[in-house]
Amino acid sequence: MSKHKELIDVIRGITSSFNSRNNDFQGYWALGILYQFAKTNHIFSLKFDLLNQVVKPDTAYFQPIVSKYNSKLYRLLNAKDINSQCLKSAIITIDFDHYTKHHDHIKYPVGAPYVMIGELIDNRGKIFKSTIYGKCQPHDPTKEQQSSRINKH
């Protein structure tokens, strides 16, 4: 199998991890915090450029998230013996309050819909895409338990 074809596995792993409840930011589910930020700032879409470690809209607050997933991307590429130079782009986009028919099939009915799209573009221009449909609520520390994984000094 061509190494380029394995890029679909890489982007599926990245988006699955990003979507996971184990994706912590400051000890809370990162998506809830991202959604709270988006709602507060009247933003409906966040974009994480994993290669260049840039978040749009531009905010240094989420730099630890993009850095974490930049490292995760390189680890997955190395594990599959794929040269990172074969990538032109690695983007995760989250569109909040974006309902689609796919949201009707989500088991947990609580929260607002979102669509997460992970996209890798290789040096030949081929696109490898992974899409996740989910629901989440804005971060609320009074209703959430902080992860025991947080580094408390």
Side-chain angles (χ1 to χ4, degrees):
M1 176 192 288
S2 167
K3 292 290 182 190
H4 283 260
K5 288 184 180 178
E6 292 186 50
L7 289 173
I8 191 66
D9 294 333
V10 171
I11 196 57
R12 284 179 180 156
I14 292 286
T15 53
S16 178
S17 174
F18 204 103
N19 190 62
S20 169
R21 295 278 177 180
N22 291 320
N23 179 11
D24 289 349
F25 181 66
Q26 299 177 342
Y28 295 100
W29 187 36
L31 278 180
I33 291 174
L34 293 170
Y35 183 41
Q36 179 62 43
F37 173 83
K39 279 186 67 127
T40 301
N41 292 285
H42 308 287
I43 299 166
F44 296 101
S45 186
L46 296 173
K47 185 180 285 192
F48 295 81
D49 179 337
L50 303 184
L51 288 181
N52 298 307
Q53 298 190 56
V54 174
V55 181
K56 296 286 182 188
D58 191 16
T59 173
Y61 184 64
F62 295 125
Q63 192 60 42
I65 295 174
V66 77
S67 294
K68 172 182 168 181
Y69 280 91
N70 169 274
S71 296
K72 190 175 288 282
L73 172 65
Y74 282 97
R75 277 196 313 275
L76 288 172
L77 291 171
N78 287 335
K80 294 192 172 287
D81 197 30
I82 300 173
N83 184 334
S84 62
Q85 297 301 310
C86 81
L87 288 181
K88 286 185 0 185
S89 175
I91 306 286
I92 293 176
T93 303
I94 308 165
D95 293 324
F96 292 106
D97 295 324
H98 183 123
Y99 173 81
T100 72
K101 63 181 176 163
H102 298 286
H103 289 97
D104 293 338
H105 305 289
I106 295 174
K107 294 177 186 173
Y108 45 94
V110 178
Y114 65 88
V115 178
M116 180 184 301
I117 299 173
E119 186 176 89
L120 298 179
I121 301 176
D122 70 11
N123 54 7
R124 301 172 303 175
K126 183 155 174 64
I127 298 170
F128 301 85
K129 188 184 278 191
S130 174
T131 304
I132 296 176
Y133 303 92
K135 291 183 179 180
C136 71
Q137 295 184 34
H139 169 63
D140 181 349
T142 64
K143 294 181 182 177
E144 299 173 47
Q145 182 176 352
Q146 194 171 34
S147 170
S148 60
R149 292 184 295 265
I150 189 167
N151 189 4
K152 297 179 181 179
H153 291 253

